[in-house]
């Protein structure tokens, strides 16, 4: 009898704790925020008659918007699949034989992160997981610069249609509001240009990384 009373008391305490915490086992919500991204790879140098064309990375990051929906399943340990629209890009330094200019580009992606997380305090959590990104559009002046210099129209093929990466970060939950700060890196190239020169082709491969800050609302 005493054992049953003790078990009932523990269940009541746990129930009160969950009620005070306000954590649901299942929630659906919206997230929106900004990306701060850059690309990294080896420098590219090509000769065109008497001129030399050099392309190198810049450390500058490019701003982009992100937003979408998420679904969280679990309390202390949880799984969070997401569907996000995400703008990512980077900047390059271009030397055309006479002057150096900055060229930039931006990609529009549909991302599918799958985050695995754990709450380490009442409001604080950490999460990490894979993300698959699908390119749905590009903008910027890097493509035009490349096409003008090489007289080729192949730069569309340089932007990979799909890439695989990872995200990791921390989050804070305050009521129905979620605040997330994440780092994203690529496992596969987002830019991979096919050139006749095998050495140049190996040089012009780029991976992307970004910092992401978002605010979410769980229904």
């Amino acid at each position: 009898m005493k054992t049953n009373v003790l078990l009932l008391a523990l269940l009541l305490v746990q129930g009160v704790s969950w009620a005070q915490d306000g954590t649901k086992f299942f929630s659906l919500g919206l997230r929106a925020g900004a990306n701060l991204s850059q690309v990294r790879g080896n420098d590219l140098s090509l000769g065109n008659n008497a001129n030399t064309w050099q392309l190198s990375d810049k450390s500058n990051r490019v701003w982009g918007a992100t937003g979408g929906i998420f679904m969280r399943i679990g309390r202390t340990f949880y799984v969070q699949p997401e569907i996000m629209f995400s703008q990512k890009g980077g900047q390059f330094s271009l030397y055309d034989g006479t002057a150096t200019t900055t060229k930039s580009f931006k990609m529009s992606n549909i991302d599918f992160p799958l985050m695995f997380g754990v709450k380490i305090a009442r409001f604080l959590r950490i999460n990490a997981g894979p993300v698959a990104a699908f390119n749905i559009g590009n903008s910027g002046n890097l493509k035009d610069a490349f096409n003008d210099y090489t007289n080729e129209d192949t730069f569309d093929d340089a932007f990979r249609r799909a890439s695989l990466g990872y995200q990791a970060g921390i989050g804070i939950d305050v009521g129905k509001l979620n605040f997330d700060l994440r780092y994203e890196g690529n496992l596969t190239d987002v830019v991979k240009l096919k050139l006749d020169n095998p050495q140049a082709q190996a040089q012009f491969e780029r991976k992307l990384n970004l910092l992401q800050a978002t605010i979410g609302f769980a229904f």
Side-chain angles (χ1 to χ4, degrees), residues 69-139:
I69 62 175
F70 71 89
M71 178 173 59
R72 187 180 298 175
I73 305 170
R75 290 190 176 93
T76 302
F77 298 93
Y78 63 88
V79 178
Q80 183 168 309
E82 304 174 357
I83 303 176
M84 302 288 291
F85 170 81
S86 192
Q87 292 179 322
K88 310 171 185 179
Q91 289 189 343
F92 294 87
S93 177
L94 172 66
Y95 176 72
D96 60 5
T98 57
T100 300
T101 57
T102 296
K103 301 294 182 179
S104 61
F105 75 92
K106 186 175 290 186
M107 302 181 298
S108 297
N109 287 358
I110 299 296
D111 290 350
F112 295 89
L114 180 60
M115 308 300 290
F116 299 89
V118 57
K119 276 198 168 186
I120 59 177
R122 183 174 179 180
F123 300 112
L124 184 64
R125 54 186 164 78
I126 57 175
N127 45 210
V131 54
F134 296 89
N135 187 345
I136 59 174
N138 310 298
S139 63

Side-chain angles (χ1 to χ4, degrees), residues 42-46 193 195-205:
N42 296 326
D43 295 345
L44 174 66
S45 179
L46 294 175
L193 188 58
L195 299 173
D196 293 335
N197 186 330
Q199 182 179 2
Q201 179 180 347
Q203 287 178 338
F204 200 64
E205 297 175 348

